[in-house]
Amino acid sequence: MLSEKRLTWLVLLVLAGSMALFVTTRHSSGETTVQQPERTRIKVLRRKDLLHLKPTAQEIQDVQPSPPERAFENLIPSHVPIKIKLKKTKEKAFKDLQNDKWARDFAIELTNTGAKPIYSIYMLLVLPEVTDRKGVKIVFPLFYGRNELGDTRTKALPEDVPISPGETYVFTISELQIPVWEQLQREENRPQPKRIQLKLQVLSFGDGTGYIGNDGLAVPHPISWTNL
């Protein structure tokens, strides 16, 4: 049997343990340990006498991964004498995947890099990932010149105004087509495109020659004896 003195010490030890457990429980339930985020380590190439300097805000920004963008794919063959690029002032808004009004910000600059004036050009802006209810791909036509010049055999008239060699013309989506696209996109729950493709249909120099089709076939076609 335990003596009264030893029993008293045992009770005190049990009470002390209980208080310690109580304090620990209150501490763990009332406070949260915050973990500091891991720091990203970057390497900056500098001269030896500048190695002690910390990376600048611009250097840190330069190594950050870029957010995904809407892609513009120019599929017009390189032998066709034109240069295509997105208009600089519109490029950022067009590429922003969060921008549902991208069609209003689409603009490309077409430069005539050849020796002949371009009297007509017909291109298609294709949304390869977007279709209507019948499964047909959505396209926007881009056209310059008189309608009749869409046939390369049609000769230009004095009143026809060409895109002269070295000259640049800006193409945008028709203001009549944009609200139709935006309305149908909502009604049919069409996805916003992540890729936009540009394809050539017809280019006419107004003298009976030009290029046609996705492959940029020169017309008129040269005679081949193997085809006779």
Short mmCIF file of all heavy atoms in Angstrom, two decimals, residues 177-228:
data_model
loop_
_atom_site.label_atom_id
_atom_site.label_comp_id
_atom_site.label_asym_id
_atom_site.label_seq_id
_atom_site.Cartn_x
_atom_site.Cartn_y
_atom_site.Cartn_z
N GLN A 177 -19.96 41.36 -88.76
CA GLN A 177 -19.80 39.96 -88.36
C GLN A 177 -19.57 39.79 -86.86
O GLN A 177 -19.96 38.78 -86.28
CB GLN A 177 -18.64 39.32 -89.13
CG GLN A 177 -18.88 39.22 -90.63
CD GLN A 177 -17.65 38.70 -91.34
OE1 GLN A 177 -16.54 39.11 -91.04
NE2 GLN A 177 -17.86 37.79 -92.27
N ILE A 178 -18.93 40.77 -86.24
CA ILE A 178 -18.55 40.64 -84.83
C ILE A 178 -19.75 40.43 -83.91
O ILE A 178 -19.75 39.49 -83.10
CB ILE A 178 -17.71 41.85 -84.39
CG1 ILE A 178 -16.35 41.82 -85.08
CG2 ILE A 178 -17.52 41.86 -82.87
CD1 ILE A 178 -15.48 43.02 -84.79
N PRO A 179 -20.81 41.27 -83.97
CA PRO A 179 -21.94 41.03 -83.06
C PRO A 179 -22.65 39.70 -83.33
O PRO A 179 -23.18 39.09 -82.39
CB PRO A 179 -22.87 42.22 -83.33
CG PRO A 179 -22.44 42.77 -84.64
CD PRO A 179 -20.99 42.50 -84.76
N VAL A 180 -22.64 39.24 -84.59
CA VAL A 180 -23.25 37.94 -84.91
C VAL A 180 -22.45 36.82 -84.23
O VAL A 180 -23.03 35.91 -83.62
CB VAL A 180 -23.31 37.72 -86.44
CG1 VAL A 180 -23.84 36.33 -86.75
CG2 VAL A 180 -24.19 38.78 -87.09
N TRP A 181 -21.14 36.88 -84.34
CA TRP A 181 -20.28 35.88 -83.69
C TRP A 181 -20.50 35.87 -82.18
O TRP A 181 -20.67 34.82 -81.57
CB TRP A 181 -18.81 36.14 -84.01
CG TRP A 181 -17.87 35.67 -82.93
CD1 TRP A 181 -17.24 36.42 -82.00
CD2 TRP A 181 -17.51 34.31 -82.63
NE1 TRP A 181 -16.49 35.65 -81.16
CE2 TRP A 181 -16.64 34.35 -81.52
CE3 TRP A 181 -17.83 33.09 -83.19
CZ2 TRP A 181 -16.09 33.20 -80.97
CZ3 TRP A 181 -17.27 31.94 -82.63
CH2 TRP A 181 -16.42 32.00 -81.55
N GLU A 182 -20.51 37.06 -81.57
CA GLU A 182 -20.64 37.13 -80.11
C GLU A 182 -21.99 36.62 -79.64
O GLU A 182 -22.09 35.97 -78.59
CB GLU A 182 -20.41 38.58 -79.66
CG GLU A 182 -18.97 39.04 -79.86
CD GLU A 182 -18.73 40.48 -79.48
OE1 GLU A 182 -19.72 41.21 -79.27
OE2 GLU A 182 -17.55 40.88 -79.37
N GLN A 183 -23.05 36.89 -80.41
CA GLN A 183 -24.38 36.41 -80.03
C GLN A 183 -24.47 34.89 -80.14
O GLN A 183 -24.95 34.22 -79.22
CB GLN A 183 -25.44 37.06 -80.91
CG GLN A 183 -26.86 36.60 -80.58
CD GLN A 183 -27.90 37.25 -81.47
OE1 GLN A 183 -27.61 38.18 -82.20
NE2 GLN A 183 -29.14 36.75 -81.41
N LEU A 184 -24.01 34.33 -81.28
CA LEU A 184 -24.07 32.88 -81.46
C LEU A 184 -23.13 32.15 -80.51
O LEU A 184 -23.42 31.02 -80.09
CB LEU A 184 -23.73 32.53 -82.91
CG LEU A 184 -24.76 32.96 -83.95
CD1 LEU A 184 -24.28 32.63 -85.35
CD2 LEU A 184 -26.10 32.28 -83.68
N GLN A 185 -22.02 32.79 -80.17
CA GLN A 185 -21.09 32.16 -79.21
C GLN A 185 -21.78 31.96 -77.86
O GLN A 185 -21.62 30.91 -77.23
CB GLN A 185 -19.85 33.06 -79.06
CG GLN A 185 -18.73 32.45 -78.23
CD GLN A 185 -18.91 32.67 -76.74
OE1 GLN A 185 -19.41 33.73 -76.32
NE2 GLN A 185 -18.51 31.70 -75.94
N ARG A 186 -22.58 32.94 -77.46
CA ARG A 186 -23.31 32.81 -76.20
C ARG A 186 -24.46 31.81 -76.32
O ARG A 186 -24.64 30.95 -75.45
CB ARG A 186 -23.84 34.18 -75.76
CG ARG A 186 -22.76 35.18 -75.36
CD ARG A 186 -23.38 36.39 -74.72
NE ARG A 186 -24.28 37.08 -75.63
CZ ARG A 186 -23.92 38.07 -76.43
NH1 ARG A 186 -22.65 38.48 -76.45
NH2 ARG A 186 -24.80 38.66 -77.23
N GLU A 187 -25.25 31.92 -77.39
CA GLU A 187 -26.44 31.08 -77.55
C GLU A 187 -26.09 29.61 -77.71
O GLU A 187 -26.78 28.73 -77.19
CB GLU A 187 -27.27 31.56 -78.74
CG GLU A 187 -27.91 32.93 -78.53
CD GLU A 187 -28.68 33.39 -79.76
OE1 GLU A 187 -28.62 32.67 -80.79
OE2 GLU A 187 -29.34 34.44 -79.68
N GLU A 188 -25.01 29.32 -78.47
CA GLU A 188 -24.62 27.93 -78.73
C GLU A 188 -23.52 27.46 -77.79
O GLU A 188 -23.02 26.35 -77.93
CB GLU A 188 -24.18 27.79 -80.19
CG GLU A 188 -25.27 28.11 -81.20
CD GLU A 188 -24.82 27.88 -82.63
OE1 GLU A 188 -23.65 27.46 -82.84
OE2 GLU A 188 -25.63 28.11 -83.54
N ASN A 189 -23.13 28.33 -76.85
CA ASN A 189 -22.08 27.98 -75.88
C ASN A 189 -20.80 27.53 -76.59
O ASN A 189 -20.16 26.54 -76.19
CB ASN A 189 -22.57 26.89 -74.92
CG ASN A 189 -21.68 26.78 -73.68
OD1 ASN A 189 -21.06 27.76 -73.27
ND2 ASN A 189 -21.62 25.58 -73.12
N ARG A 190 -20.44 28.25 -77.63
CA ARG A 190 -19.20 27.93 -78.35
C ARG A 190 -17.99 28.31 -77.50
O ARG A 190 -17.99 29.35 -76.84
CB ARG A 190 -19.14 28.68 -79.68
CG ARG A 190 -20.25 28.35 -80.66
CD ARG A 190 -20.16 29.26 -81.87
NE ARG A 190 -21.21 28.99 -82.84
CZ ARG A 190 -21.43 29.72 -83.95
NH1 ARG A 190 -20.63 30.75 -84.20
NH2 ARG A 190 -22.40 29.41 -84.78
N PRO A 191 -16.93 27.51 -77.54
CA PRO A 191 -15.72 27.88 -76.78
C PRO A 191 -15.01 29.06 -77.46
O PRO A 191 -15.12 29.24 -78.68
CB PRO A 191 -14.86 26.62 -76.84
CG PRO A 191 -15.29 25.94 -78.11
CD PRO A 191 -16.77 26.22 -78.25
N GLN A 192 -14.34 29.85 -76.66
CA GLN A 192 -13.51 30.91 -77.24
C GLN A 192 -12.26 30.26 -77.86
O GLN A 192 -11.68 29.34 -77.28
CB GLN A 192 -13.09 31.91 -76.17
CG GLN A 192 -14.24 32.73 -75.60
CD GLN A 192 -14.83 33.71 -76.61
OE1 GLN A 192 -14.27 33.91 -77.69
NE2 GLN A 192 -15.96 34.30 -76.26
N PRO A 193 -11.86 30.69 -79.04
CA PRO A 193 -10.73 30.04 -79.72
C PRO A 193 -9.40 30.29 -79.03
O PRO A 193 -9.14 31.38 -78.53
CB PRO A 193 -10.75 30.69 -81.11
CG PRO A 193 -11.36 32.04 -80.88
CD PRO A 193 -12.39 31.83 -79.81
N LYS A 194 -8.57 29.25 -79.02
CA LYS A 194 -7.21 29.37 -78.52
C LYS A 194 -6.22 29.50 -79.68
O LYS A 194 -5.07 29.86 -79.46
CB LYS A 194 -6.85 28.15 -77.66
CG LYS A 194 -7.68 28.03 -76.40
CD LYS A 194 -7.27 26.82 -75.59
CE LYS A 194 -8.10 26.68 -74.32
NZ LYS A 194 -7.71 25.49 -73.53
N ARG A 195 -6.67 29.15 -80.89
CA ARG A 195 -5.83 29.24 -82.09
C ARG A 195 -6.65 29.90 -83.20
O ARG A 195 -7.82 29.62 -83.38
CB ARG A 195 -5.37 27.85 -82.55
CG ARG A 195 -4.49 27.13 -81.56
CD ARG A 195 -4.41 25.65 -81.91
NE ARG A 195 -4.08 25.41 -83.29
CZ ARG A 195 -4.61 24.43 -84.03
NH1 ARG A 195 -5.50 23.60 -83.49
NH2 ARG A 195 -4.25 24.26 -85.28
N ILE A 196 -5.99 30.78 -83.95
CA ILE A 196 -6.59 31.44 -85.12
C ILE A 196 -5.65 31.23 -86.29
O ILE A 196 -4.45 31.49 -86.19
CB ILE A 196 -6.79 32.94 -84.89
CG1 ILE A 196 -7.55 33.21 -83.61
CG2 ILE A 196 -7.48 33.57 -86.09
CD1 ILE A 196 -9.01 32.91 -83.67
N GLN A 197 -6.18 30.72 -87.40
CA GLN A 197 -5.35 30.45 -88.58
C GLN A 197 -5.73 31.39 -89.73
O GLN A 197 -6.91 31.70 -89.92
CB GLN A 197 -5.54 29.00 -89.03
CG GLN A 197 -5.09 27.97 -88.00
CD GLN A 197 -5.37 26.55 -88.44
OE1 GLN A 197 -6.26 26.30 -89.24
NE2 GLN A 197 -4.63 25.60 -87.90
N LEU A 198 -4.73 31.81 -90.48
CA LEU A 198 -4.94 32.65 -91.66
C LEU A 198 -4.57 31.86 -92.91
O LEU A 198 -3.45 31.35 -93.02
CB LEU A 198 -4.09 33.92 -91.57
CG LEU A 198 -4.28 34.92 -92.71
CD1 LEU A 198 -5.68 35.55 -92.66
CD2 LEU A 198 -3.21 36.01 -92.67
N LYS A 199 -5.54 31.75 -93.84
CA LYS A 199 -5.32 30.98 -95.06
C LYS A 199 -5.62 31.83 -96.29
O LYS A 199 -6.55 32.65 -96.28
CB LYS A 199 -6.20 29.72 -95.07
CG LYS A 199 -5.87 28.73 -93.97
CD LYS A 199 -6.70 27.45 -94.09
CE LYS A 199 -6.34 26.44 -93.03
NZ LYS A 199 -7.09 25.17 -93.18
N LEU A 200 -4.86 31.62 -97.35
CA LEU A 200 -5.07 32.34 -98.61
C LEU A 200 -6.09 31.64 -99.48
O LEU A 200 -6.11 30.41 -99.57
CB LEU A 200 -3.74 32.44 -99.37
CG LEU A 200 -3.81 33.12 -100.75
CD1 LEU A 200 -4.12 34.59 -100.60
CD2 LEU A 200 -2.51 32.89 -101.53
N GLN A 201 -6.96 32.42 -100.09
CA GLN A 201 -7.89 31.91 -101.08
C GLN A 201 -7.52 32.40 -102.48
O GLN A 201 -7.29 31.60 -103.37
CB GLN A 201 -9.32 32.34 -100.72
CG GLN A 201 -9.81 31.83 -99.38
CD GLN A 201 -9.83 30.32 -99.31
OE1 GLN A 201 -10.63 29.66 -99.98
NE2 GLN A 201 -8.96 29.75 -98.48
N VAL A 202 -7.43 33.71 -102.66
CA VAL A 202 -7.09 34.27 -103.96
C VAL A 202 -6.29 35.56 -103.77
O VAL A 202 -6.60 36.37 -102.90
CB VAL A 202 -8.35 34.60 -104.81
CG1 VAL A 202 -7.95 35.18 -106.17
CG2 VAL A 202 -9.23 33.39 -104.99
N LEU A 203 -5.25 35.71 -104.58
CA LEU A 203 -4.53 36.98 -104.69
C LEU A 203 -4.40 37.31 -106.17
O LEU A 203 -3.94 36.48 -106.95
CB LEU A 203 -3.15 36.88 -104.05
CG LEU A 203 -2.29 38.16 -104.02
CD1 LEU A 203 -1.34 38.14 -102.82
CD2 LEU A 203 -1.49 38.37 -105.30
N SER A 204 -4.83 38.51 -106.56
CA SER A 204 -4.80 38.91 -107.96
C SER A 204 -3.97 40.17 -108.15
O SER A 204 -4.10 41.14 -107.40
CB SER A 204 -6.23 39.17 -108.48
OG SER A 204 -6.19 39.70 -109.79
N PHE A 205 -3.10 40.11 -109.18
CA PHE A 205 -2.30 41.28 -109.53
C PHE A 205 -3.02 42.18 -110.54
O PHE A 205 -2.47 43.20 -110.96
CB PHE A 205 -0.95 40.84 -110.11
CG PHE A 205 -0.08 40.14 -109.10
CD1 PHE A 205 0.30 38.83 -109.29
CD2 PHE A 205 0.36 40.80 -107.96
CE1 PHE A 205 1.11 38.17 -108.37
CE2 PHE A 205 1.17 40.16 -107.04
CZ PHE A 205 1.55 38.84 -107.24
N GLY A 206 -4.22 41.79 -110.93
CA GLY A 206 -5.01 42.63 -111.84
C GLY A 206 -4.55 42.58 -113.28
O GLY A 206 -5.04 43.35 -114.11
N ASP A 207 -3.66 41.65 -113.59
CA ASP A 207 -3.17 41.52 -114.97
C ASP A 207 -3.39 40.11 -115.50
O ASP A 207 -2.76 39.71 -116.49
CB ASP A 207 -1.69 41.88 -115.04
CG ASP A 207 -0.81 40.97 -114.16
OD1 ASP A 207 -1.37 40.11 -113.45
OD2 ASP A 207 0.43 41.13 -114.17
N GLY A 208 -4.25 39.35 -114.85
CA GLY A 208 -4.50 37.97 -115.26
C GLY A 208 -3.64 36.96 -114.55
O GLY A 208 -3.74 35.76 -114.82
N THR A 209 -2.80 37.41 -113.60
CA THR A 209 -1.95 36.49 -112.85
C THR A 209 -2.21 36.66 -111.34
O THR A 209 -2.79 37.66 -110.90
CB THR A 209 -0.45 36.74 -113.12
OG1 THR A 209 -0.10 38.04 -112.61
CG2 THR A 209 -0.16 36.68 -114.61
N GLY A 210 -1.77 35.68 -110.60
CA GLY A 210 -1.94 35.75 -109.15
C GLY A 210 -1.64 34.42 -108.49
O GLY A 210 -0.93 33.57 -109.06
N TYR A 211 -2.20 34.21 -107.32
CA TYR A 211 -2.03 32.98 -106.55
C TYR A 211 -3.39 32.55 -106.01
O TYR A 211 -4.22 33.38 -105.64
CB TYR A 211 -1.07 33.19 -105.38
CG TYR A 211 0.34 33.54 -105.78
CD1 TYR A 211 0.73 34.88 -105.93
CD2 TYR A 211 1.29 32.55 -106.01
CE1 TYR A 211 2.01 35.22 -106.29
CE2 TYR A 211 2.58 32.88 -106.38
CZ TYR A 211 2.94 34.21 -106.52
OH TYR A 211 4.22 34.53 -106.89
N ILE A 212 -3.61 31.23 -105.94
CA ILE A 212 -4.87 30.72 -105.42
C ILE A 212 -4.63 29.55 -104.46
O ILE A 212 -3.64 28.82 -104.59
CB ILE A 212 -5.82 30.27 -106.55
CG1 ILE A 212 -5.20 29.12 -107.36
CG2 ILE A 212 -6.19 31.43 -107.46
CD1 ILE A 212 -6.18 28.49 -108.36
N GLY A 213 -5.57 29.38 -103.52
CA GLY A 213 -5.58 28.20 -102.65
C GLY A 213 -4.61 28.26 -101.50
O GLY A 213 -3.75 29.15 -101.39
N ASN A 214 -4.77 27.28 -100.59
CA ASN A 214 -3.92 27.20 -99.40
C ASN A 214 -2.45 27.02 -99.73
O ASN A 214 -1.58 27.43 -98.96
CB ASN A 214 -4.37 26.02 -98.53
CG ASN A 214 -5.78 26.21 -97.98
OD1 ASN A 214 -6.26 27.33 -97.86
ND2 ASN A 214 -6.43 25.11 -97.64
N ASP A 215 -2.17 26.41 -100.91
CA ASP A 215 -0.77 26.16 -101.30
C ASP A 215 -0.18 27.34 -102.06
O ASP A 215 1.01 27.30 -102.42
CB ASP A 215 -0.67 24.89 -102.15
CG ASP A 215 -1.06 23.65 -101.38
OD1 ASP A 215 -0.84 23.62 -100.15
OD2 ASP A 215 -1.60 22.71 -101.99
N GLY A 216 -0.97 28.37 -102.32
CA GLY A 216 -0.46 29.52 -103.06
C GLY A 216 -0.03 29.15 -104.46
O GLY A 216 1.05 29.53 -104.92
N LEU A 217 -0.91 28.43 -105.19
CA LEU A 217 -0.59 28.00 -106.56
C LEU A 217 -0.62 29.19 -107.50
O LEU A 217 -1.60 29.94 -107.54
CB LEU A 217 -1.61 26.95 -107.01
CG LEU A 217 -1.41 26.36 -108.42
CD1 LEU A 217 -0.10 25.58 -108.49
CD2 LEU A 217 -2.59 25.47 -108.79
N ALA A 218 0.48 29.39 -108.25
CA ALA A 218 0.56 30.50 -109.19
C ALA A 218 -0.37 30.25 -110.37
O ALA A 218 -0.44 29.14 -110.89
CB ALA A 218 2.00 30.68 -109.67
N VAL A 219 -1.08 31.27 -110.81
CA VAL A 219 -1.95 31.19 -111.98
C VAL A 219 -1.63 32.36 -112.92
O VAL A 219 -1.25 33.43 -112.46
CB VAL A 219 -3.44 31.23 -111.56
CG1 VAL A 219 -3.84 29.95 -110.87
CG2 VAL A 219 -3.77 32.44 -110.69
N PRO A 220 -1.80 32.13 -114.28
CA PRO A 220 -2.22 30.83 -114.87
C PRO A 220 -1.14 29.77 -114.72
O PRO A 220 0.05 30.09 -114.61
CB PRO A 220 -2.44 31.19 -116.34
CG PRO A 220 -1.54 32.36 -116.57
CD PRO A 220 -1.52 33.14 -115.29
N HIS A 221 -1.58 28.48 -114.71
CA HIS A 221 -0.64 27.39 -114.53
C HIS A 221 0.25 27.23 -115.75
O HIS A 221 -0.23 27.32 -116.89
CB HIS A 221 -1.38 26.07 -114.28
CG HIS A 221 -2.43 26.18 -113.20
ND1 HIS A 221 -2.20 26.80 -112.01
CD2 HIS A 221 -3.70 25.72 -113.16
CE1 HIS A 221 -3.28 26.75 -111.27
NE2 HIS A 221 -4.22 26.10 -111.94
N PRO A 222 1.54 27.00 -115.56
CA PRO A 222 2.40 26.72 -116.72
C PRO A 222 2.01 25.40 -117.37
O PRO A 222 1.58 24.47 -116.70
CB PRO A 222 3.80 26.67 -116.10
CG PRO A 222 3.57 26.32 -114.67
CD PRO A 222 2.28 26.97 -114.29
N ILE A 223 2.13 25.35 -118.68
CA ILE A 223 1.77 24.12 -119.41
C ILE A 223 2.80 23.02 -119.13
O ILE A 223 3.99 23.24 -119.16
CB ILE A 223 1.71 24.38 -120.93
CG1 ILE A 223 0.59 25.38 -121.23
CG2 ILE A 223 1.49 23.10 -121.70
CD1 ILE A 223 0.53 25.77 -122.70
N SER A 224 2.31 21.84 -118.80
CA SER A 224 3.18 20.69 -118.58
C SER A 224 2.81 19.62 -119.61
O SER A 224 1.65 19.21 -119.70
CB SER A 224 2.99 20.16 -117.15
OG SER A 224 3.72 18.96 -116.99
N TRP A 225 3.78 19.17 -120.38
CA TRP A 225 3.50 18.17 -121.44
C TRP A 225 3.02 16.86 -120.84
O TRP A 225 2.30 16.11 -121.48
CB TRP A 225 4.78 17.93 -122.27
CG TRP A 225 5.15 19.15 -123.10
CD1 TRP A 225 6.15 20.02 -122.85
CD2 TRP A 225 4.49 19.60 -124.29
NE1 TRP A 225 6.18 21.01 -123.79
CE2 TRP A 225 5.17 20.75 -124.71
CE3 TRP A 225 3.39 19.13 -125.05
CZ2 TRP A 225 4.79 21.47 -125.85
CZ3 TRP A 225 3.03 19.84 -126.18
CH2 TRP A 225 3.72 20.98 -126.57
N THR A 226 3.37 16.60 -119.59
CA THR A 226 2.94 15.35 -118.97
C THR A 226 1.46 15.36 -118.65
O THR A 226 0.86 14.33 -118.42
CB THR A 226 3.75 15.10 -117.68
OG1 THR A 226 3.53 16.19 -116.77
CG2 THR A 226 5.22 14.98 -117.95
N ASN A 227 0.86 16.57 -118.63
CA ASN A 227 -0.55 16.68 -118.33
C ASN A 227 -1.42 16.67 -119.56
O ASN A 227 -2.65 16.74 -119.45
CB ASN A 227 -0.84 17.95 -117.52
CG ASN A 227 -0.19 17.90 -116.14
OD1 ASN A 227 0.00 16.81 -115.61
ND2 ASN A 227 0.17 19.06 -115.59
N LEU A 228 -0.81 16.67 -120.75
CA LEU A 228 -1.59 16.69 -122.01
C LEU A 228 -2.05 15.28 -122.37
O LEU A 228 -1.41 14.31 -122.04
CB LEU A 228 -0.73 17.28 -123.14
CG LEU A 228 -0.32 18.74 -122.94
CD1 LEU A 228 0.54 19.18 -124.12
CD2 LEU A 228 -1.54 19.63 -122.81
#
